[in-house]
Amino acid sequence: MMMNVEQEGEICIINLIGRLDGTTMGEVEQRFLELLGQGYKQFVFDLIELEYISSAGLRVMLLSVKKTRAIAGKIALCRLNANVQEVFQISGFSTIFEIFPARDDALQFIRA
């Protein structure tokens, strides 16, 4: 699992690459909480290179949306591949997150 963070203004764009599962969730959770601690409130998770997400990975995503909403922030997901999108749909997580096919659409939602 690799996690790259880009910044576009006040928005953190988090790129997850590889597998988000019980082995890698701690790294993602820790980095996300660090970003929150630095005062960021707006996040886009770009998942185009996320190959797999397990229930443990979904737990981290749920934590991220709860923490972000608790501070009146905004969060969006974009560019999910078919496998990851299916996991979000089957688990019901697609109703929790704003999900966009393109990064620009997600950024536009965050800025609105």
Side-chain angles (χ1 to χ4, degrees):
M1 159 64 64
M2 286 185 53
M3 180 177 171
N4 295 324
V5 178
E6 305 170 42
Q7 295 169 353
E8 188 163 315
E10 296 181 359
I11 303 171
C12 275
I13 302 168
I14 300 170
N15 300 288
L16 299 180
I17 303 163
R19 298 172 59 91
L20 181 55
D21 56 21
T23 305
T24 59
M25 64 173 271
E27 171 189 348
V28 174
E29 181 176 338
Q30 180 180 0
R31 184 69 179 120
F32 180 79
L33 293 175
E34 287 173 5
L35 292 168
L36 278 177
Q38 293 170 7
Y40 290 102
K41 294 181 172 184
Q42 300 174 326
F43 300 92
V44 170
F45 280 83
D46 188 335
L47 304 181
I48 193 167
E49 296 185 78
L50 184 65
E51 299 167 359
Y52 171 80
I53 187 165
S54 71
S55 59
L58 288 173
R59 182 194 156 279
V60 172
M61 299 306 295
L62 185 59
L63 172 91
S64 68
V65 74
K66 284 184 173 181
K67 293 280 189 184
T68 302
R69 288 181 180 164
I71 59 170
K74 290 180 92 174
I75 190 167
L77 310 180
C78 67
R79 304 200 301 169
L80 284 64
N81 71 33
N83 293 334
V84 172
Q85 188 160 357
E86 183 178 10
V87 171
F88 272 79
Q89 288 174 340
I90 290 171
S91 65
F93 275 52
S94 59
T95 62
I96 298 171
F97 289 92
E98 298 294 332
I99 299 174
F100 299 91
R103 181 190 279 201
D104 286 344
D105 294 337
L107 290 169
Q108 187 174 0
F109 165 77
I110 295 292
R111 290 184 185 116

